[in-house]
Amino acid sequence: MAPSITEIAYRTLQQGRSLAGLVHKELSTKVMEAVAPDVVPQTQPVPAEMMNALRKSLDALQDRDWKDAAAGIYPQSLLFDIPWLEWAERYPRVWLDLPSNWSRRRARDVQDLPDLSNRELYPEYYLQNFHHQTDGYLSDHSAELYDLQVDILFNGAADAMRRRIIPFLQAGLKHFSNRNPGSLRILDVATGTGRTLHQIRAALPTCTLIGVDLSEAYLRQANRWLNQNRSSLVQLVQGNAERMPFDEGGFQALTCVFLMHELPAEARQAVLQDCYRLLEPGGVLVLADSVQLKDSPQFDVAMDNFRRVFHEPYYRDYISDDIDQRLLDAGFCNLQAESHFMTRVWCATKPDSGTK
């Protein structure tokens, strides 16, 4: 069957986003080599076979994204829902931010952060410049650039990777199919600027959505994007994912996207334990994060280069970590996992009285 006009438009859009990401990274690297050669990271050459595998994996992700939208798992309009005007306004600021990024690299300063009157709210591992980005996760400037920077990093595939959680989420919520959908509560852990909640709301518009994050600035950005129109309101709460400010068993589903790789091992386990606490028996947890060496050994050089280019102090440990075992240690059961491009997705449930 010939592709529809909508499918052609989606694939054309994704090709354009991918090309834009590649061009930006190539140009910014050349500028860094010319202006600040002393801070150019020492990366490994990417073998041709790995580049081919990455392209095929990206194509497969886009195929799956389109098929899920065509099947009604989420609306096709979501595939085109991109804040173009805001990103166009903010893109020059990505370039203007590069000199301070290079300066931090040169000084090996990973704690170049704003003055904090409430420093005690944050764990020490959080108080650093992840990705070498200005202000870490602690300013409106950082929050306003974050989604655009992530989209560039993943060649326009960030939202498609986020959407891989939706089929697992919908399947997990079938456990509560005898309830009014409006009574179902979904918590997005480390919600950041709210892009994951935006995807979830389009697929599950009747559920009650809550987001929790440590960064007040990122929550402000999430509020601007999520709660400034006529869509259902999303509750946003500041809190540490290791001990979230919610009652035990109050949620039927939890999601967590792109957090695990930015935590030390003990914090990873603490977050999973608290997710278990917050779920009602029978509830579902869906995680998405970077692929790991065990499931995607063919991308080992890409993973190592990511660590070298960006300040990701816990990434090397994460890609060797056994997330399956951590989920089991936290008490979860019915584990499922699959990989899509550079993202690994896990789904697990909290046992209920009927679980063997």
Side-chain angles (χ1 to χ4, degrees):
M1 181 182 296
S4 67
I5 293 175
T6 306
E7 180 180 356
I8 293 171
Y10 166 70
R11 295 186 183 280
T12 301
L13 173 65
Q14 289 304 111
Q15 289 173 2
R17 292 172 74 180
S18 179
L19 179 60
L22 289 169
V23 168
H24 173 89
K25 286 182 281 191
E26 181 70 20
L27 286 176
S28 60
T29 298
K30 289 186 179 300
V31 170
M32 179 167 53
E33 290 171 344
V35 176
D38 56 317
V39 301
V40 175
Q42 300 300 308
T43 57
Q44 301 182 61
V46 178
E49 59 270 23
M50 182 181 295
M51 288 299 301
N52 290 332
L54 286 166
R55 292 189 191 99
K56 289 180 180 178
S57 183
L58 178 56
D59 289 343
L61 169 66
Q62 293 173 357
D63 287 344
R64 178 71 177 274
D65 195 30
W66 167 253
K67 289 176 182 177
D68 281 354
I73 293 175
Y74 37 83
Q76 293 182 18
S77 60
L78 192 60
L79 306 180
F80 304 93
D81 194 353
I82 303 164
W84 291 115
L85 291 178
E86 291 194 31
W87 283 4
E89 181 272 327
R90 294 173 186 185
Y91 181 66
R93 293 160 60 189
V94 173
W95 282 96
L96 292 173
D97 205 44
L98 289 178
S100 63
N101 180 298
W102 300 335
S103 176
R104 282 187 293 275
R105 289 173 186 262
R106 182 176 293 110
R108 298 187 178 183
D109 183 359
V110 297
Q111 293 184 318
D112 178 22
L113 301 172
D115 291 333
L116 299 171
S117 60
N118 55 350
R119 190 180 181 93
E120 69 281 357
L121 293 179
Y122 306 101
E124 281 300 315
Y125 63 77
Y126 188 79
L127 296 173
Q128 51 187 310
N129 301 90
F130 289 92
H131 322 140
H132 296 290
Q133 67 193 46
T134 298
D135 301 328
Y137 290 126
L138 296 167
S139 74
D140 292 311
H141 171 83
S142 170
E144 289 168 359
L145 297 185
Y146 176 79
D147 284 314
L148 175 55
Q149 291 170 323
V150 171
D151 203 66
I152 291 170
L153 171 64
F154 289 117
N155 298 338
D159 281 341
M161 292 192 294
R162 290 184 182 103
R163 285 192 285 270
R164 292 306 88 226
I165 70 170
I166 294 176
F168 281 122
L169 185 58
Q170 291 176 328
L173 286 173
K174 289 180 180 178
H175 182 82
F176 305 101
S177 59
N178 61 332
R179 301 187 190 177
N180 184 329
S183 70
L184 302 182
R185 303 177 77 230
I186 302 172
L187 174 66
D188 187 41
V189 179
T191 197
T193 63
R195 285 301 290 176
T196 298
L197 281 172
H198 179 71
Q199 314 296 313
I200 294 171
R201 182 167 60 184
L204 295 162
T206 60
C207 293
T208 298
L209 303 183
I210 302 97
V212 62
D213 199 273
L214 257 177
S215 173
E216 184 178 350
Y218 275 63
L219 289 172
R220 279 195 295 270
Q221 178 64 60
N223 187 58
R224 284 192 289 270
W225 276 357
L226 291 170
N227 292 332
Q228 301 302 315
N229 53 43
R230 294 188 178 182
S231 299
S232 56
L233 291 176
V234 175
Q235 180 183 356
L236 299 168
V237 179
Q238 187 174 19
N240 187 336
E242 294 181 69
R243 186 68 183 181
M244 291 173 271
F246 305 104
D247 292 336
E248 180 176 343
F251 296 92
Q252 289 69 51
L254 272 72
T255 57
C256 182
V257 177
F258 301 156
L259 171 65
M260 292 287 119
H261 75 279
E262 295 198 336
L263 299 176
E266 62 276 12
R268 255 176 252 143
Q269 192 64 45
V271 170
L272 295 177
Q273 293 287 166
D274 209 44
C275 288
Y276 184 89
R277 177 183 70 85
L278 295 183
L279 276 175
E280 177 182 339
V284 62
L285 169 66
V286 187
L287 301 174
D289 214 295
S290 167
V291 292
Q292 298 181 291
L293 292 172
K294 183 178 180 180
D295 61 86
S296 302
Q298 72 275 23
F299 297 149
D300 58 345
V301 172
M303 284 183 254
D304 188 61
N305 283 348
F306 176 73
R307 176 187 63 81
R308 292 168 182 263
V309 172
F310 299 97
H311 176 60
E312 288 284 6
Y314 310 112
Y315 187 73
R316 183 190 292 224
D317 177 75
Y318 162 80
I319 60 176
S320 300
D321 200 5
D322 190 341
I323 301 298
D324 290 35
Q325 189 59 53
R326 289 195 179 279
L327 287 164
L328 293 172
D329 290 345
F332 289 98
C333 64
N334 301 328
L335 269 61
Q336 303 175 67
E338 55 189 39
S339 297
H340 302 276
F341 186 42
M342 298 307 292
T343 293
R344 182 76 167 167
V345 182
W346 290 265
C347 178
T349 56
K350 182 173 181 174
D352 63 11
S353 58
T355 302
K356 300 294 185 181

